[in-house]
Amino acid sequence: MLHSLLKLCARLLLLALSRGSIHTTGGPGSTLPPAVSGPPLSSDVRSVVFKGESQVEEVQVVRPLTLVLECTWTGSQDRPHNISGFWRKDGSELADSRRPVLLENQQYNLRRPFSITDEEGLGNYSCVFDNQAEVDFILAAPRVGEVRDKPIVSYVGDSVVLQCKMEDTKPQPNSWTWYRANGTDKELLDPEPDSPRYQIHSQEGKTKLTVRNLTEADSGAYYCGAAYDISVTLSRVDLRVITFLEPLKPFLVIVGEVLVLVSLILLYERTNAHGPHPDNTLSDDQAHKLTPDDVGGGEDTDSSTRQRKV
C-alpha cells in the first residue's frame, strides 16, 4: 500500500515538472513573445574641417541611420596643448559629452556617432571647442523647393491648380500628401478619384492639387507634404479667391471721386450764375456828394452855361 502511494506521488511530481518546462521553453503554450531583431541601421559620416569661429552644414536625412559627425578645427593663434570640447543638441549640452581635446598635428578633433531613428532625432547638432568655435550640423529631411511669397489668386466659380516640386538634385520623396489649414490644425485632404471638388495628381518629384468650383471660403493656407522614411517636410501655398468685382474696386473708387468733384464744380457755378447782380442806382446822399468831374464833362457844362448868359 505504501509502495503504491509513493509511486502515485512520484508521477504527480513528474507531471508538474513537465508542465512547468513546457510553459517556460517558449512552445505553443508559452506566453513569452519570441525575440525579434530589426535590420541594422545604415551608417554615414559627415566631416568638416574649418578655420574660423563658426560654420553651418546642412545634412539631408531621408531614413533612420547611424550618423557620425566629425569636426576638425585648426585652432587659434596660440593653440594650447589641450582645450575643452563638447556637443550640443538644439542648444542644450549633451550629457557626458564634455572632454579634453588634445592638439594633434596643429589641429583639434571631435567625433561622435548619433543614432537618428525617428523625427525626434533630427535637429541642430553642434560641436563646440572651448566656447571659441563651433560647427552647426542641421539635420533635416529635404525641403520642398519653389516656395511662393505671394498667394495664388483665382476667381469664384473657377478652378485652380496648386503645385509643389522637389528639386532634381534632392532625394525624391516616397509619396506626397496635401493638407488644408483648419484653424491651428491641418486637415488631411484625401479625396476620392471622382471627387467633384478636389483632385490630387502626384508624379515622381512633383504633386498637384486641383480645386474646382471655388468659393471665397476656399481661401486660406494649403500644405503639400513630401514623405520620407524619417519625416515629412511641409511647404505652404496660400490661395486667395475673389469675385470679379474685386479688381474693379480701385477703378470704381477713382470714378466716384471724379464724380463728386465734378458735382461740386457744377454746383458752385450754378450758385454764382443765379446770385444777386450789383445795383448801379445811387442813393440821394451819394448823388449830392458827386462832383462835376465824377459825372464827367464838367468843363463842357460850365462853357455851355456861359454861352446862355451871353
Side-chain angles (χ1 to χ4, degrees):
M1 184 70 177
L2 181 60
H3 182 69
S4 299
L5 184 61
L6 291 176
K7 284 185 178 182
L8 179 62
C9 291
R11 289 179 180 178
L12 292 175
L13 180 60
L14 291 175
L15 180 62
L17 292 175
S18 63
R19 288 183 178 180
S21 62
I22 292 175
H23 179 73
T24 57
T25 54
S30 175
T31 59
L32 295 178
V36 178
S37 59
L41 296 177
S42 60
S43 60
D44 194 6
V45 179
R46 182 59 61 95
S47 301
V48 172
V49 179
F50 72 110
K51 299 180 180 180
E53 297 180 355
S54 63
Q55 188 167 330
V56 178
E57 289 289 323
E58 294 186 359
V59 182
Q60 294 182 358
V61 181
V62 298
R63 64 181 58 87
L65 81 166
T66 299
L67 182 62
V68 178
L69 301 179
E70 184 177 18
C71 305
T72 301
W73 182 44
T74 58
S76 57
Q77 294 181 355
D78 51 357
R79 289 191 178 90
H81 180 66
N82 67 78
I83 59 176
S84 176
F86 60 93
W87 289 87
R88 286 198 300 245
K89 168 69 163 58
D90 295 331
S92 300
E93 182 176 343
L94 296 179
D96 302 328
S97 68
R98 187 178 291 269
R99 66 179 184 84
V101 182
L102 299 178
L103 178 65
E104 298 179 357
N105 298 324
Q106 299 301 311
Q107 59 189 17
Y108 304 96
N109 182 270
L110 270 176
R111 179 185 174 95
R112 180 168 177 149
F114 296 92
S115 295
I116 314 299
T117 58
D118 52 25
E119 190 173 4
E120 295 296 327
L122 302 177
N124 188 352
Y125 291 79
S126 304
C127 59
V128 185
F129 294 94
D130 205 19
N131 290 323
Q132 300 182 38
E134 65 179 86
V135 174
D136 294 328
F137 296 92
I138 301 177
L139 276 60
R143 296 186 179 92
V144 180
E146 297 184 1
V147 178
R148 295 180 61 93
D149 297 330
K150 298 182 180 180
I152 296 177
V153 180
S154 189
Y155 295 96
V156 172
D158 285 352
S159 299
V160 68
V161 178
L162 310 180
Q163 178 174 308
C164 290
K165 182 179 180 181
M166 186 65 67
E167 298 176 5
D168 296 336
T169 57
K170 295 181 179 180
Q172 300 304 310
N174 300 331
S175 60
W176 291 93
T177 53
W178 279 93
Y179 305 87
R180 182 184 177 185
N182 186 8
T184 57
D185 298 328
K186 296 180 179 63
E187 177 187 356
L188 176 64
L189 297 178
D190 188 16
E192 298 293 333
D194 56 349
S195 172
R197 287 273 291 150
Y198 299 102
Q199 183 178 4
I200 297 176
H201 180 70
S202 302
Q203 182 180 6
E204 296 179 354
K206 60 183 177 180
T207 181
K208 295 180 181 180
L209 170 66
T210 302
V211 186
R212 300 187 180 93
N213 301 323
L214 289 171
T215 65
E216 292 185 282
D218 291 319
S219 298
Y222 293 78
Y223 298 87
C224 62
Y228 293 91
D229 293 338
I230 192 69
S231 177
V232 176
T233 58
L234 300 177
S235 179
R236 175 170 173 166
V237 182
D238 291 320
L239 173 63
R240 183 185 176 193
V241 182
I242 61 176
T243 63
F244 286 97
L245 293 178
E246 189 78 15
L248 298 178
K249 286 184 178 180
F251 175 75
L252 295 177
V253 171
I254 295 175
V255 171
E257 293 177 351
V258 172
L259 291 177
V260 171
L261 180 60
V262 171
S263 300
L264 292 176
I265 294 175
L266 293 176
L267 180 62
Y268 176 78
E269 292 181 351
R270 176 175 292 186
T271 302
N272 288 341
H274 293 82
H277 294 284
D279 190 1
N280 294 328
T281 305
L282 297 178
S283 64
D284 294 338
D285 294 338
Q286 292 174 337
H288 288 300
K289 292 180 180 180
L290 290 177
T291 62
D293 293 336
D294 293 332
V295 297
E299 295 180 355
D300 296 338
T301 305
D302 294 339
S303 60
S304 60
T305 303
R306 286 195 298 269
Q307 289 177 356
R308 285 198 298 272
K309 288 182 180 181
V310 173

